Amino acid sequence: MRALGYRTVDALVDWLSDDSLPPLRKATPAEMAARLGGPPPAAGAPFDDALDVLFRDVLPFTSRAAHPRFFAYVPFAGTWPGALGDFVASACNVFAGSWQEAAGPTQLELEIIGWFKEWVGYPAGAAGSLVSGGSAANLTALACARETLVGAMRDDLVVYASDQAHSSIGRSARILGFRPDHVRVLPVADDLRLEPATLAAAMAADDAAGRLPFLVVANGGATSTGAVDPIRGLAELCRERNAWLHVDAAYGGFGVLTDRGRAALDGLEAADSITLDPHKWLYQPYECGCLLVRDGRTLRHAFKITSDYLRDAEADAGSVNFADYGLQLTRTSRAFKLWLSLRTFGVDAFRAAIDRTLDLAQLARECIEASDVLELAAPPSLGIVCFRRSGGDDEVDGLVAALEESGLGLISSTRVHGRSVLRLCILNHTTRAEDVERVLAFLETAQPVAAAAAYDRHAAVPSTVPLFARLDPAESHAVTLGSSERRAAAGETIVERWDTTRDFFVVEEGLIDVILEGEIVTTLRTGDYFGEIAALEWGAGFARSRAATVVARDDVRLRVFETQSLVLLLEEFPRLEAELRHTAHERLRRAR
């Protein structure tokens, strides 16, 4: 065992310290199958042979998040003491579900949770649990909120989140049985934050319709842009409405260790629950997420189930069974790596690392603002900086690919107000100022890698509706079959702001007024369309709410596409989806 361990550690140190490797090396499925395919071995083989395969054919084809110029995604470099903590927990096969079998690991986890509670400003009565990541924490939070406030699933419940929310919010809602009309995806302001006034208007509309606003999800560092919602204002509104406020601070939450981060996350302590991800800005190996709940009793109430075969493991007074605090009965200890890392380096080292990445994000901002070629696409927030080359919306994918091919570094792309932009995630504790400057300098002058030509099967055939102008007669017939005609009289309301309907409309004849807060903001005519904001899926089957009220100015004739018909249409004609999404984002900006 010692010999195998020594050889494994030597191989790991060599691999981790090899600075010549790029931040990402890809491979095709065929190449990986050729390297690793085949039946399971009937007989054993030397361990060193298997170890060689891992380091030759598996590990090289992964992202190297510890690379100092890995700026593509939020999860970042771990720590060696953390890895050794995972090694200890795995080697000892620690079960950390009950106090009976794991008094030591349980107390260690309670200590870690206590530190986190203190950092975010939670009271002593708060509770929490270490989970696999932010997705599991968000799912646990939604379940806890529902069980606490309403119990079993009901038809009148409404969950609110901004369109900057992480995809796991939609996935969690779907898993828990929330239907599309149970989730409101709300537009954000120009700074990408959810305004309390927007939330209040949506809640009021649902309340008037007999629905129950019960849960709001705020961003404590949006994954896409780093945006932090005005948490304190949202918390005050939630208290007035007796709604639960959950803050998804998966990567951003540990910013509270610094003065700048704490200021950005003002009001975090007022949330009913908080998602944190130590495997992001606390530099832990995967997997390591955390959920904190202000009233710890609600977490245990939501998940505790006593079975006959577990009576012997029932927690005594004053002890904790972490299996009663979430989804997992069988769970290992994720506290070992956290405790070893924090004990080895001290909190001040992590605080300094986070502060340094904030400095580097500010450096990136200054470099972009000083550039004649680059421009900011959104206000930088925490460690994320979104930008583009001036007038280069079509270059984004090609620039991402060019940097990847160079081996110099790695960035990713996202969308801000419907436009493709470049995205630097500067959270790595190994990154230096020169790493940021080298990547930005490369992007200023790089030639985009040409993408494959898009397949376009549409003939240039005239149409009375510009959206369908390039469809041939057979395709136009298919569009007609997938839709229906509707007529509306002058003064008739066709859709109401905050409606849960998702039909998409094309104006075939007449005038339509789009109204926001009592004012006509635009008038639509023959050939125009509306309803795309709610019709297009945001994620996990959920969509944005109606952004405005639409009223017929005179007698109108409309072509109506129900949700499923539109989905099939957009699958057949991807160009239409791209145009609708662009229009949706532009109209959302005007609706704020």
Side-chain angles (χ1 to χ4, degrees), residues 344-463:
T344 300
F345 294 114
V347 177
D348 286 348
F350 289 91
R351 180 179 291 111
I354 295 171
D355 245 337
R356 187 164 58 250
T357 61
L358 292 174
D359 289 340
L360 293 175
Q362 177 62 24
L363 171 65
R365 176 178 191 156
E366 293 169 357
C367 290
I368 293 167
E369 290 178 331
S371 172
D372 295 329
V373 178
L374 305 177
E375 61 184 21
L376 291 171
S381 183
L382 298 177
I384 296 183
V385 183
C386 295
F387 64 105
R388 57 178 164 254
R389 287 214 298 213
S390 302
D393 289 11
D394 296 336
E395 296 181 332
V396 168
D397 292 343
L399 289 174
V400 171
L403 181 61
E404 179 193 324
E405 285 191 4
S406 74
L408 173 69
L410 198 69
I411 62 171
S412 55
S413 66
T414 188
R415 286 186 178 272
V416 174
H417 300 312
R419 299 179 66 182
S420 293
V421 301
L422 303 167
R423 173 172 170 260
L424 282 178
C425 302
I426 308 176
L427 289 89
N428 194 327
H429 61 74
T430 71
T431 299
R432 303 156 298 175
E434 52 264 40
D435 296 313
V436 174
E437 292 168 341
R438 287 180 66 187
V439 166
L440 290 175
F442 176 91
L443 293 170
E444 280 187 309
T445 59
Q447 288 297 316
V449 172
Y455 174 61
D456 191 346
R457 62 192 294 269
H458 308 301
V461 175
S463 169

Side-chain angles (χ1 to χ4, degrees), residues 51 89 174 268 274 282 292 304 321 331 334 431 441 450 452 473 488 490 522 581:
L51 196 65
R174 185 168 65 185
L268 184 62
I274 304 169
L282 210 58
L292 299 179
K304 185 180 186 314
N321 285 348
R331 61 195 300 276
R334 299 180 176 95
T431 299
T522 190
R581 289 197 179 277

Side-chain angles (χ1 to χ4, degrees), residues 180-531:
D181 59 333
H182 286 153
V183 177
R184 297 279 177 279
V185 182
L186 302 177
V188 292
D190 285 341
D191 61 3
L192 303 172
R193 289 156 40 105
L194 175 60
E195 292 297 319
T198 301
L199 175 62
M203 285 180 153
D206 282 319
D207 195 40
R211 294 183 285 264
L212 178 64
F214 93 103
L215 172 66
V216 176
V217 180
N219 287 315
T223 301
S224 180
T225 61
V228 178
D229 289 329
I231 298 171
R232 189 170 300 281
L234 296 175
E236 291 172 358
L237 178 59
C238 286
R239 277 197 299 272
E240 293 171 6
R241 306 288 312 219
N242 195 32
W244 184 288
L245 177 64
H246 173 64
V247 177
D248 182 2
Y251 93 82
F254 289 109
V256 297
L257 290 173
T258 71
D259 291 339
R260 284 173 289 180
R262 182 169 291 279
L265 293 157
D266 177 55
L268 184 62
E269 73 283 354
D272 294 291
S273 55
I274 304 169
T275 284
L276 301 169
D277 255 5
H279 65 212
K280 293 190 173 78
W281 223 351
L282 210 58
Y283 305 118
Q284 296 305 302
Y286 296 133
E287 300 168 346
C288 195
C290 178
L291 174 68
L292 299 179
V293 179
R294 166 177 279 278
D295 183 350
R297 298 168 300 177
T298 63
L299 188 58
R300 187 171 184 270
H301 170 75
F303 290 99
K304 185 180 186 314
I305 296 177
T306 302
S307 302
D308 290 343
Y309 54 85
L310 293 176
R311 288 192 305 125
D312 295 336
E314 276 290 287
D316 297 328
S319 62
V320 169
N321 285 348
F322 273 111
D324 295 337
Y325 285 70
L327 306 175
Q328 288 182 272
L329 173 59
T330 301
R331 61 195 300 276
T332 188
S333 178
R334 299 180 176 95
F336 281 36
K337 54 188 167 190
L338 275 161
W339 187 82
L340 277 175
S341 293
L342 290 164
R343 185 69 180 263
T344 300
F345 294 114
V347 177
D348 286 348
F350 289 91
R351 180 179 291 111
I354 295 171
D355 245 337
R356 187 164 58 250
T357 61
L358 292 174
D359 289 340
L360 293 175
Q362 177 62 24
L363 171 65
R365 176 178 191 156
E366 293 169 357
C367 290
I368 293 167
E369 290 178 331
S371 172
D372 295 329
V373 178
L374 305 177
E375 61 184 21
L376 291 171
S381 183
L382 298 177
I384 296 183
V385 183
C386 295
F387 64 105
R388 57 178 164 254
R389 287 214 298 213
S390 302
D393 289 11
D394 296 336
E395 296 181 332
V396 168
D397 292 343
L399 289 174
V400 171
L403 181 61
E404 179 193 324
E405 285 191 4
S406 74
L408 173 69
L410 198 69
I411 62 171
S412 55
S413 66
T414 188
R415 286 186 178 272
V416 174
H417 300 312
R419 299 179 66 182
S420 293
V421 301
L422 303 167
R423 173 172 170 260
L424 282 178
C425 302
I426 308 176
L427 289 89
N428 194 327
H429 61 74
T430 71
T431 299
R432 303 156 298 175
E434 52 264 40
D435 296 313
V436 174
E437 292 168 341
R438 287 180 66 187
V439 166
L440 290 175
F442 176 91
L443 293 170
E444 280 187 309
T445 59
Q447 288 297 316
V449 172
Y455 174 61
D456 191 346
R457 62 192 294 269
H458 308 301
V461 175
S463 169
T464 58
V465 178
L467 181 65
F468 305 134
R470 297 171 65 196
L471 303 183
D472 62 32
E475 293 166 343
S476 296
H477 181 63
V479 168
T480 302
L481 290 178
S483 61
S484 60
E485 184 178 279
R486 173 180 167 183
R487 294 180 182 270
E492 181 178 340
T493 298
I494 300 167
V495 298
E496 191 84 43
R497 192 183 189 196
W498 310 123
D499 267 359
T500 60
T501 58
R502 294 186 58 186
D503 292 344
F504 171 68
F505 301 85
V506 175
V507 182
E508 293 189 322
E509 183 181 338
L511 297 177
I512 299 282
D513 287 331
V514 179
I515 300 171
L516 188 61
E517 296 179 351
E519 299 290 333
I520 297 175
V521 294
T522 190
T523 298
L524 305 178
R525 294 169 169 79
T526 300
D528 290 333
Y529 54 86
F530 62 95

Side-chain angles (χ1 to χ4, degrees), residues 7-25 51-52 54-67 80:
R7 292 202 292 274
T8 301
V9 168
D10 285 343
L12 282 169
V13 172
D14 289 343
W15 189 78
L16 291 169
S17 59
D18 188 348
D19 294 334
S20 68
L21 297 174
L24 178 66
R25 182 181 174 190
L51 196 65
D52 287 344
L54 279 180
F55 282 88
R56 183 186 66 242
D57 297 326
V58 178
L59 285 172
F61 302 99
T62 62
S63 61
R64 293 176 61 85
H67 192 287
W80 185 244

